[in-house]
Amino acid sequence: MERVTGIHWYAALRSCFPILTWLPRYNLTWLKMDLIAGLTVGLTAVPQALAYAEVAGLPVQYGLYSAFMGGFIYCIFGTSKDITLGPTAIMSLLCSAYIGGDPVFAVVLTLLCGVIQAGMALLRLGFLLDFISYPVIKGFTCAAAVTIGFGQVKNILGLKEIPQQFFLQVYYTFHKIPEARVGDVILGLCCLFFLVMLTLMKNSLGSSEDEAPLLVRSARKLVWSLATIRNALVVIAATAVAYSVEATGHHFFSLTGKTAKGLPPFKAPPLSETGANGTVITFSDITKDLGGGLAVIPLMGVLESIAIAKAFGSKNNYRIDANQELFAIGLTNIMGSFVSAYPVTGSFGRTAVNSQTGVCSPAGGIITGVIVLLSLAFLMPLFFYIPKASLAAVIICAVSPMIDFRVPVQLWRVKRLDLLPFLVTFVVSFWEVQYGIVGGVVVSGFMLLYTVARPKVKPSVLKVLLKADLPGFRHTDKVDEALQLLTSINHYDPLF
């Protein structure tokens, strides 16, 4: 009896701390693969984190503040070996709509998102994600990709004072094209060209035959590895060019500028803020200003991360625990608020890199976290010289695969009515991204309620209906007459 009780306790402990399921089997081979994968993802995460902070409207160091905590927390509490947590394009865009470029608002939002997500996990409310349908997700993703990508055109062109609202952004970007800086345009286009070429090279090598000679395979592996860390290579090269030009006294490029030095202090998140005029903004005022973001951002963060975890779990033949994933993300955000992070979730691009480089356990995230911490500790002064055009090129190439033109065609072929929530979400998201999600969910909800309220009766159940004592069928003696009756009307009584 005591042995059975001990087994139950150990099983419960493993469900709360998934690290206990793989740590006893850890070996040197796994360590080697995790080191390679963690280093590769780290070299991808650093430039992306810097770039996504720009999307969120925050100083670039906040991207790095958000990029390391997930690796340590998820290693203990996560159930997917592949997924990496950190800042993403979509979460950065959503945050920008609520925090207004204020780091204090961003940190409070992170704390509250974490509390909400962890609370949902403890109450097992993961089923709420089912109310965000596939058309809504795809409509929002496509619109967000267009919004994020076009939002970086101003940095490619070196333009200043461009509004954040999408339609105004489009107007003023084209209106100010004559003011474009030649240095930023040339550098931005060169970065885009090299990123696209390296991406195409990686994709072509991924389908190569393994029967090639050893030397050829080694060369392919080297090129594939370089293409995998293409973001870091392009940003490093652009920074070297910008530094060389600045050293000569010329200012051809728009630079990231001054950044905070060193690691972020570990301290309790600020729950109030003093404005420039001395006005104190209380915690309740901040939560009121965040408003709908406290619903949209936690749900979208969880949805994105769990969808990625399920996809790679299916691909690599392992199962994930959705509620445990929810708790891991929530705890990551709670702890992230103590190091001035903004909300994070799973990154599809970095997770794909993690999987392709052969990661064996979540311990790869620790290596990625260490790379980010080393960058914060020693490289922050160099980040001053990173050209904004190079970060813009990284963002554009990162979000472009999210624009999937096949989705409307698929919806048209499978269920044409699903185009309605897709189009509502897609169009309204250009006005305000949060309204696009809400609009799509509302339309999907009405469609679901309409289907439930007016179900279609299949002819195969007519015999059962004819035998039942139901209004409208008492005097119908023949099945053919019942069929004729049903086909003469569009909908049936919900009582059926």
Side-chain angles (χ1 to χ4, degrees):
M1 184 66 181
E2 292 180 358
R3 183 178 180 182
V4 173
T5 305
I7 292 173
H8 284 310
W9 272 104
Y10 184 66
L13 198 62
R14 288 203 311 173
S15 67
C16 294
F17 300 94
I19 187 175
L20 297 176
T21 62
W22 56 264
L23 189 59
R25 297 179 287 117
Y26 205 77
N27 54 50
L28 289 176
T29 303
W30 285 20
L31 177 61
K32 176 185 174 183
M33 298 306 295
D34 287 346
L35 281 171
I36 295 172
L39 178 62
T40 305
V41 174
L43 293 175
T44 304
V46 170
Q48 283 193 345
L50 297 170
Y52 291 150
E54 288 271 345
V55 176
L58 295 169
V60 292
Q61 66 265 21
Y62 282 87
L64 295 177
Y65 294 167
S66 308
F68 66 85
M69 186 61 74
F72 299 104
I73 300 295
Y74 193 84
C75 179
I76 300 171
F77 296 98
T79 58
S80 169
K81 73 177 182 66
D82 297 299
I83 200 165
T84 61
L85 299 182
T88 66
I90 288 180
M91 287 299 286
S92 300
L93 177 66
L94 286 171
C95 290
S96 69
Y98 292 101
I99 63 178
D102 190 331
V104 172
F105 275 61
V107 174
V108 172
L109 178 60
T110 306
L111 174 64
L112 294 177
C113 280
V115 171
I116 292 169
Q117 290 166 337
M120 288 175 63
L122 294 175
L123 296 174
R124 298 192 172 274
L125 297 178
F127 70 91
L128 292 175
L129 302 176
D130 295 336
F131 288 95
I132 305 178
S133 63
Y134 174 82
V136 174
I137 296 169
K138 285 299 182 181
F140 166 71
T141 302
C142 292
V146 174
T147 303
I148 294 167
F150 191 85
Q152 296 306 310
V153 172
K154 64 180 184 290
N155 289 327
I156 295 286
L157 299 176
L159 301 178
K160 308 286 185 182
E161 299 179 356
I162 301 295
Q164 292 296 319
Q165 208 281 332
F166 179 75
F167 296 110
L168 292 176
Q169 196 173 78
V170 172
Y171 172 78
Y172 280 101
T173 298
F174 284 105
H175 181 71
K176 291 191 173 186
I177 282 181
E179 302 176 17
R181 295 170 58 118
V182 176
D184 287 324
V185 173
I186 294 174
L187 183 64
L189 292 178
C190 288
C191 290
L192 279 173
F193 174 78
F194 282 112
L195 285 170
V196 171
M197 291 303 297
L198 288 170
T199 302
L200 293 176
M201 288 172 61
K202 180 184 175 184
N203 293 339
S204 64
L205 290 174
S207 59
S208 300
E209 296 293 333
D210 292 334
E211 287 77 14
L214 178 61
L215 184 61
V216 175
R217 278 184 292 166
S218 300
R220 286 174 177 172
K221 189 173 182 179
L222 176 62
V223 174
W224 186 89
S225 300
L226 292 175
T228 300
I229 58 171
R230 58 190 176 276
N231 292 333
L233 293 177
V234 166
V235 171
I236 290 171
T239 303
V241 171
Y243 180 81
S244 302
V245 172
E246 289 289 320
T248 64
H250 297 89
H251 306 286
F252 290 154
F253 309 114
S254 300
L255 304 179
T256 299
K258 187 177 180 180
T259 57
K261 296 181 181 179
L263 300 172
F266 188 87
K267 61 181 181 179
L271 300 181
S272 63
E273 182 182 18
T274 303
N277 57 358
T279 304
V280 177
I281 304 174
T282 64
F283 178 72
S284 60
D285 293 331
I286 294 175
T287 54
K288 287 178 183 177
D289 289 340
L290 293 175
L294 297 178
V296 173
I297 293 178
L299 283 176
M300 289 305 298
V302 170
L303 181 69
E304 188 176 359
S305 190
I306 291 180
I308 294 169
K310 285 184 176 179
F312 281 89
S314 175
K315 178 181 177 182
N316 295 324
N317 197 28
Y318 61 85
R319 298 184 65 181
I320 69 156
D321 183 340
N323 275 300
Q324 187 64 31
E325 290 292 302
L326 190 52
F327 180 76
I329 299 166
L331 187 59
T332 296
N333 280 321
I334 291 173
M335 297 305 297
S337 67
F338 285 79
V339 291
S340 303
Y342 70 89
V344 301
T345 184
S347 165
F348 185 86
R350 295 193 295 274
T351 299
V353 171
N354 210 24
S355 177
Q356 290 168 358
T357 46
V359 71
C360 294
S361 75
I366 295 178
I367 309 303
T368 299
V370 170
I371 297 296
V372 176
L373 288 172
L374 290 174
S375 300
L376 280 166
F378 301 109
L379 299 180
M380 290 304 289
L382 295 178
F383 291 159
F384 178 95
Y385 296 99
I386 296 178
K388 290 185 176 181
S390 64
L391 296 180
V394 168
I395 294 172
I396 291 172
C397 289
V399 301
S400 56
M402 293 161 51
I403 305 174
D404 193 347
F405 297 102
R406 298 170 297 176
V407 172
V409 178
Q410 291 172 350
L411 294 176
W412 179 263
R413 290 176 178 174
V414 176
K415 189 178 180 182
R416 295 178 183 179
L417 195 59
D418 279 344
L419 278 172
L420 182 59
F422 172 83
L423 291 174
V424 168
T425 306
F426 181 77
V427 173
V428 178
S429 291
F430 289 117
W431 174 35
E432 290 287 349
V433 288
Q434 61 272 25
Y435 296 153
I437 298 170
V438 173
V441 170
V442 169
V443 171
S444 295
F446 277 122
M447 289 169 57
L448 177 63
L449 290 174
Y450 184 83
T451 304
V452 172
R454 295 179 176 272
K456 294 183 179 180
V457 178
K458 296 182 179 180
S460 59
V461 300
L462 282 176
K463 290 183 180 181
V464 177
L465 293 175
L466 290 170
K467 292 179 181 179
D469 187 19
L470 296 173
F473 285 90
R474 291 175 181 174
H475 306 294
T476 306
D477 298 322
K478 297 180 180 180
V479 175
D480 291 340
E481 293 178 7
L483 278 169
Q484 187 176 6
L485 174 64
L486 288 175
T487 53
S488 65
I489 57 177
N490 293 323
H491 302 286
Y492 316 120
D493 194 299
L495 291 175
F496 288 178

